[in-house]
Amino acid sequence: MAEKEGGIVKKGHELGLIMAISLLEEHGLPLGLLPLADVIEVGFVKDTGYMWIIQKKKVEHNFKMISKLVSYNSEITGYVEKKRIEKLKGVKAKELML
């Protein structure tokens, strides 16, 4: 993919997790924003802000405080900027009725 050209890539759960957390911290985003399980690869292109996260399988997370169930596909992509992520793909949220 052309979007990934020139990107820094970390493979494996340990290295991928470290990189994903540092990306979120660096851009002022909440650390719990992307619950990461069984990470295969994390990549980031500094020039464009394009990032991708590949996990072994889809993950669902229930954010109790806001009553939302969020589904994360095995591949999540987006453009990271200060305090925001644009064109986020691979994440869906549903309202939960309590």
Side-chain angles (χ1 to χ4, degrees), residues 5-17:
E5 259 178 53
I8 302 159
V9 179
K10 299 290 181 198
K11 293 191 183 273
H13 185 71
E14 299 277 313
L15 293 174
L17 205 56

Side-chain angles (χ1 to χ4, degrees), residues 16-89:
L17 205 56
I18 291 166
M19 183 171 174
I21 288 168
S22 73
L23 270 176
L24 292 172
E25 282 177 339
E26 203 176 298
H27 291 88
L29 296 162
L31 296 183
L33 189 65
L34 303 169
L36 304 165
D38 295 328
V39 174
I40 296 171
E41 180 181 298
V42 174
F44 179 65
V45 182
K46 205 170 184 84
D47 293 345
T48 62
Y50 183 76
M51 67 103 189
W52 65 95
I53 297 169
I54 301 171
Q55 305 179 97
K56 281 185 186 164
K57 61 183 191 295
K58 192 173 145 176
V59 176
E60 288 197 337
H61 183 76
N62 184 5
F63 288 94
K64 289 181 180 76
M65 285 184 74
I66 57 170
S67 300
K68 283 200 189 287
L69 178 66
V70 181
S71 295
Y72 299 88
N73 282 344
S74 57
E75 185 165 358
I76 300 165
T77 62
Y79 290 86
V80 186
E81 296 175 12
K82 203 78 184 142
K83 299 202 184 279
R84 62 197 260 184
I85 299 177
E86 290 196 334
K87 297 180 184 169
L88 186 63
K89 291 183 182 153

